[in-house]
Amino acid sequence: MYKQARKFIALWLSIIFVATSLFMNPLAAVEAEYVPELPQLQAANEPVVPQAAASAAAKADAAELESGIFSWDNANVYFVLTDRFLDGDSSNNNSYGRPQRDATGKNIGTFHGGDLKGLTRKLQEGYFTDLGTNVLWISAPYEQMHGWVGGGNGGDFAHYGYHGYYALDYTMMDRNMGTVSDMREFVDLAHSQGIRVVLDVVLNHPGYSTLKDMEEYGFGARNGIGAGWTPGSGQTWHSFHDQIDYNNASAWAGWWGSWVRAGIAGYENCGGSDLTQCVGNLPDFRTNVNSSVGLAPILRTKWAKETTGHDAWIVPAASGLRKDLGIAPADHIVKMLAAWVEEFGIDGFRADTAKHVELSRWQQLKNESSAALQRWRQNNPNKPGADWKDSFWMTGEVWGHGVGKSEYFSYGFDSVINFSFQDSNLNALEGIYAEYASKINSDPNFNVLSYISSHDTRLYDRSRLIQAGSALLLLPGGVQTFYGDEAARAFGDTGSDPQQGTRSSMNWNSLNQDVLSHWQKVGQFRNRHLAIGAGSHAKIADAPYTFKRSYSKNGIEDQVVVVMGASGTTKVNVSSAFADGSTVRDAYTGNEAVVSGGFATFTAHAGGLILIEQAAESDLPAVSASPAGGSFKTDSLTVTLHVKKAESGKYTLDGSNPSQGIPYTDGTVITIGNGMEFDESVKLRLYAVNGEGSSVQEYSFTKKNPDAGLTVYFKKPADWGAPSLYYYNTSPKASEPTWAASPAMTRVSGDWYSYRITGVDSATVIFKDSSGKQNPGQNQPGFVRTSDGWYDGQQWHESNPDGTGNPGTGGKKVTIYYKHGFTAPYIHYRPEGGTWTAVPGVAMEASEVAGYSKYTVDIGTASRLEACFTDGKGNWDSNNMNNYFFAAGTWTYSGNGQITAGAPAAARSANVMYLAPGAEDSSLTEEEPLPENASQEGAEAA
């Protein structure tokens, strides 16, 4: 009843707020200008208290516990493809003549109807507040190409720009998304609930040429066919290309002209480098051009036609940009993107295909957008969010990037997408949590955005979303929920493009309430506590797994204790976080307990998760240190000691009882590290007492060798020459080789070679030889390494697998017979919970049974083998991304998910079956087939 009443109140207050804001804030056309000298901004990582105009839902939550303080370091991002979320206005569903089903009856790549009004409705209902969301990342709302291109490698469906990656006009709303008023209402309402809004933006490419756009804007040589063309007998949605004359330079001069490079007559050719290639065969903006080349012809034609009747969709702050500004193409695009910030108060950008644009251009976008946000705040002082102090924020999609600080952080990026967490072993979280907290939260200018599901890779196992939700939402650093992860949205129709199934419509009629309730509880807990994403991490116990997160900075103190895998009555050691006599609360169940003897006792929920926070303000003294423990690589480290609610405290540095230690007052600075050896630790313990009782805290500091490095070992295959190591994304930043100058590895013994990257804690590595062989393969991201390791060509090991302690010996064997669907099959596998083989896996051997291949794997101590199959050419059978599981023993896989125990009968016929491509690791999502040398990062394009 309480929750329903809260949502009802939130709905009415939201309606009143929107009506008032629209009345008081009429549209105003403001031309975006670059301001070279910005006012002093608060650092992006510093926390900001949400303004008072919170939603009724947020206020109700605050009545139970004080709302969390916002920081980008603790971002809980909800990424939504707006078109696939909720249809709030059916009148805009067929804008520009776009159908919801193509001519063959498929809706794989069409617009489904979701729009900004749908997002606004869910804000009004408190859906995002209930999830603890504090950032909404939405697909690009600006106008997309009007027509379609052939979908997938097979051209089996029509693909429109529903995802926002096929830009046509950056100055206008896409009509399928809604009007300028709809956008303003959405952003203002999000801000009123303390939620930041981030737009997906593309600076690398516009959309493809489509028959609809050719016909509408008079460019291209169509040879008699138009927007109404559909594939006939024996044709696919790619077949229209057969009618187009791409060699008629004069006909194509009316398209993007000198703004892009493209593989057609009259245009600069696509290059072979990251900065000049045409990703996914899309036209590539010439972002390297620094002087005017005139206005893009298609924009000149389009804007000349739109003289009246378009004001509802033209972004007012961009209206003055709809002309030739006499500047370079990239300069013009940056101004158009920054206009969205100035008009609506957009809080940040997610930069698509970041590695394909010059770094200086990203810095330029950051500068102009930061200035635009300041102007919006100054021009709209009474709007929600106008008094926020956090800086404009940018995260980047750098394909394959992991948890390492790269050069992108020196060019405007506050964060990068973390591609590595999706494949992490969620049964071994301590190493992940400790590593992420140590790397991310020890550097105020570094963060990553981690996910478990993505539109460009795959959806996480739908049967494991409760475990994965806990692991993700309690992860240090920023985290991103992909729409529907919180409700078990199913993989959809996918056709010949495996990634399209990840973008199915939101499952509003079949929400998994168990998963949703879990994500709501953990998400709200995260949003209340800055310590979870931005704090230090310390393990308390292994069984059940218990850890503490602490945050102490800028006068803000926050700490929590989390237990995973608890059952029944559980006595939790909370002495390092909460003093005796404190009342603490399990945020998952709502149960409270009083700390006694350093312990709090709770009855665990069936899911085994206990989320412990302070239930009420304590009158006990509070003691803390900044930094709050961790490692350091300097000769010495200064630590600031704090004490509140007591005149003074005491401390020790040898782990002894601090009540007998050295006195200190609030703000006292001490120095540690002098005389310490590398890898030596010191334990700082703090104590204070007042009339209500005493408090104790402790922190551990470890001195690290600044010249320490990372050693990787590689077992050279028989057909390789002497191996070399290419490495990048080093952290801390080190000198990185070019591909051609990759350093030679040193032979250790047998076929094992090694190389040590000095001075780094992590790096991304690729093994190669002089003949062109490499592992991972061409266009695959490298291996992200955060510790020394041995790679045998299949998987990584902590020690030499050919020596003592071989992790495979003495284990259990799984033998799989594979009935030929792929005539030369590969098996891509891992012992369940372990490390995957490199894509595409291992070639299976011919078996003694005709029509079958065979492979045997030693799974060691794992209970099952997890696997999928591929032809090594980008086609996959991965059980619709659920993969196949095999216990120890012999099994026969006959295709289409059919697994039987034992080997196949020798007399069984070897029928060749068609196996539908899956999506496990293929990242080719382009709408047209890629040339052989095209980047695998085409997934970024769609």
Short mmCIF file of all heavy atoms in Angstrom, two decimals, residues 337-347 349 369-370 372-373 376 392:
data_model
loop_
_atom_site.label_atom_id
_atom_site.label_comp_id
_atom_site.label_asym_id
_atom_site.label_seq_id
_atom_site.Cartn_x
_atom_site.Cartn_y
_atom_site.Cartn_z
N LEU A 337 26.14 19.32 -31.45
CA LEU A 337 25.95 18.44 -30.29
C LEU A 337 25.90 19.25 -29.00
O LEU A 337 25.08 18.98 -28.11
CB LEU A 337 27.08 17.41 -30.24
CG LEU A 337 27.06 16.34 -31.34
CD1 LEU A 337 28.32 15.48 -31.27
CD2 LEU A 337 25.82 15.47 -31.23
N ALA A 338 26.76 20.25 -28.88
CA ALA A 338 26.77 21.08 -27.68
C ALA A 338 25.47 21.87 -27.53
O ALA A 338 25.07 22.23 -26.41
CB ALA A 338 27.97 22.04 -27.71
N ALA A 339 24.78 22.13 -28.65
CA ALA A 339 23.52 22.85 -28.59
C ALA A 339 22.47 22.08 -27.78
O ALA A 339 21.60 22.69 -27.13
CB ALA A 339 23.00 23.12 -30.01
N TRP A 340 22.51 20.76 -27.81
CA TRP A 340 21.58 19.96 -27.01
C TRP A 340 21.83 20.18 -25.51
O TRP A 340 20.89 20.20 -24.72
CB TRP A 340 21.76 18.47 -27.35
CG TRP A 340 21.23 18.12 -28.70
CD1 TRP A 340 21.83 18.37 -29.91
CD2 TRP A 340 19.99 17.48 -29.00
NE1 TRP A 340 21.04 17.91 -30.93
CE2 TRP A 340 19.91 17.36 -30.41
CE3 TRP A 340 18.96 16.98 -28.22
CZ2 TRP A 340 18.82 16.77 -31.03
CZ3 TRP A 340 17.87 16.40 -28.84
CH2 TRP A 340 17.80 16.30 -30.24
N VAL A 341 23.07 20.36 -25.16
CA VAL A 341 23.41 20.62 -23.75
C VAL A 341 22.88 21.98 -23.35
O VAL A 341 22.26 22.15 -22.29
CB VAL A 341 24.94 20.54 -23.54
CG1 VAL A 341 25.29 20.78 -22.09
CG2 VAL A 341 25.48 19.20 -24.02
N GLU A 342 23.11 22.98 -24.20
CA GLU A 342 22.68 24.33 -23.87
C GLU A 342 21.16 24.46 -23.84
O GLU A 342 20.61 25.22 -23.04
CB GLU A 342 23.25 25.33 -24.89
CG GLU A 342 22.84 26.76 -24.60
CD GLU A 342 23.70 27.78 -25.32
OE1 GLU A 342 24.72 27.39 -25.90
OE2 GLU A 342 23.34 28.97 -25.29
N GLU A 343 20.47 23.71 -24.68
CA GLU A 343 19.02 23.82 -24.75
C GLU A 343 18.31 23.09 -23.62
O GLU A 343 17.33 23.57 -23.05
CB GLU A 343 18.51 23.30 -26.09
CG GLU A 343 17.03 23.51 -26.32
CD GLU A 343 16.65 24.98 -26.32
OE1 GLU A 343 17.39 25.80 -26.92
OE2 GLU A 343 15.62 25.34 -25.70
N PHE A 344 18.79 21.89 -23.29
CA PHE A 344 18.05 21.03 -22.37
C PHE A 344 18.74 20.79 -21.03
O PHE A 344 18.14 20.24 -20.12
CB PHE A 344 17.78 19.67 -23.02
CG PHE A 344 17.03 19.76 -24.32
CD1 PHE A 344 17.66 19.49 -25.51
CD2 PHE A 344 15.69 20.12 -24.34
CE1 PHE A 344 16.97 19.56 -26.72
CE2 PHE A 344 14.99 20.20 -25.53
CZ PHE A 344 15.63 19.92 -26.74
N GLY A 345 20.02 21.18 -20.90
CA GLY A 345 20.75 20.88 -19.68
C GLY A 345 21.21 19.44 -19.61
O GLY A 345 21.26 18.85 -18.52
N ILE A 346 21.57 18.87 -20.77
CA ILE A 346 22.08 17.50 -20.80
C ILE A 346 23.34 17.43 -19.93
O ILE A 346 24.20 18.30 -19.98
CB ILE A 346 22.39 17.06 -22.25
CG1 ILE A 346 21.13 17.14 -23.11
CG2 ILE A 346 23.00 15.67 -22.28
CD1 ILE A 346 19.99 16.29 -22.62
N ASP A 347 23.46 16.36 -19.15
CA ASP A 347 24.53 16.26 -18.15
C ASP A 347 25.78 15.56 -18.64
O ASP A 347 26.84 15.67 -18.00
CB ASP A 347 24.00 15.51 -16.92
CG ASP A 347 22.78 16.20 -16.34
OD1 ASP A 347 22.94 17.23 -15.68
OD2 ASP A 347 21.65 15.70 -16.56
N PHE A 349 27.69 12.96 -22.14
CA PHE A 349 27.65 12.22 -23.40
C PHE A 349 28.30 10.86 -23.23
O PHE A 349 29.30 10.72 -22.51
CB PHE A 349 28.41 12.96 -24.51
CG PHE A 349 27.71 14.18 -25.05
CD1 PHE A 349 28.47 15.18 -25.68
CD2 PHE A 349 26.34 14.34 -24.97
CE1 PHE A 349 27.87 16.31 -26.21
CE2 PHE A 349 25.73 15.47 -25.50
CZ PHE A 349 26.49 16.46 -26.11
N SER A 369 30.86 21.48 -24.62
CA SER A 369 29.69 20.99 -23.88
C SER A 369 29.72 21.48 -22.43
O SER A 369 28.67 21.78 -21.85
CB SER A 369 29.65 19.46 -23.93
OG SER A 369 29.55 19.01 -25.27
N SER A 370 30.90 21.54 -21.85
CA SER A 370 31.02 22.06 -20.48
C SER A 370 30.57 23.52 -20.43
O SER A 370 29.84 23.93 -19.52
CB SER A 370 32.47 21.94 -20.00
OG SER A 370 32.87 20.59 -19.93
N ALA A 372 28.54 24.93 -22.52
CA ALA A 372 27.10 24.95 -22.81
C ALA A 372 26.29 24.62 -21.57
O ALA A 372 25.22 25.20 -21.33
CB ALA A 372 26.79 23.97 -23.94
N LEU A 373 26.77 23.65 -20.77
CA LEU A 373 26.05 23.30 -19.54
C LEU A 373 26.06 24.47 -18.56
O LEU A 373 25.05 24.74 -17.89
CB LEU A 373 26.68 22.06 -18.90
CG LEU A 373 26.00 21.57 -17.61
CD1 LEU A 373 24.52 21.26 -17.84
CD2 LEU A 373 26.72 20.33 -17.07
N TRP A 376 23.44 26.89 -19.72
CA TRP A 376 22.09 26.43 -19.41
C TRP A 376 21.76 26.68 -17.94
O TRP A 376 20.65 27.14 -17.63
CB TRP A 376 21.95 24.94 -19.73
CG TRP A 376 20.58 24.41 -19.37
CD1 TRP A 376 19.46 24.48 -20.13
CD2 TRP A 376 20.20 23.77 -18.15
NE1 TRP A 376 18.39 23.93 -19.47
CE2 TRP A 376 18.82 23.49 -18.24
CE3 TRP A 376 20.89 23.42 -16.99
CZ2 TRP A 376 18.12 22.86 -17.21
CZ3 TRP A 376 20.19 22.80 -15.97
CH2 TRP A 376 18.82 22.52 -16.08
N PHE A 392 30.27 18.67 -16.61
CA PHE A 392 29.80 17.86 -17.73
C PHE A 392 30.65 16.61 -17.80
O PHE A 392 31.87 16.64 -17.65
CB PHE A 392 29.90 18.65 -19.03
CG PHE A 392 29.27 17.95 -20.20
CD1 PHE A 392 27.91 18.04 -20.42
CD2 PHE A 392 30.05 17.21 -21.08
CE1 PHE A 392 27.32 17.38 -21.49
CE2 PHE A 392 29.47 16.54 -22.14
CZ PHE A 392 28.10 16.63 -22.36
#
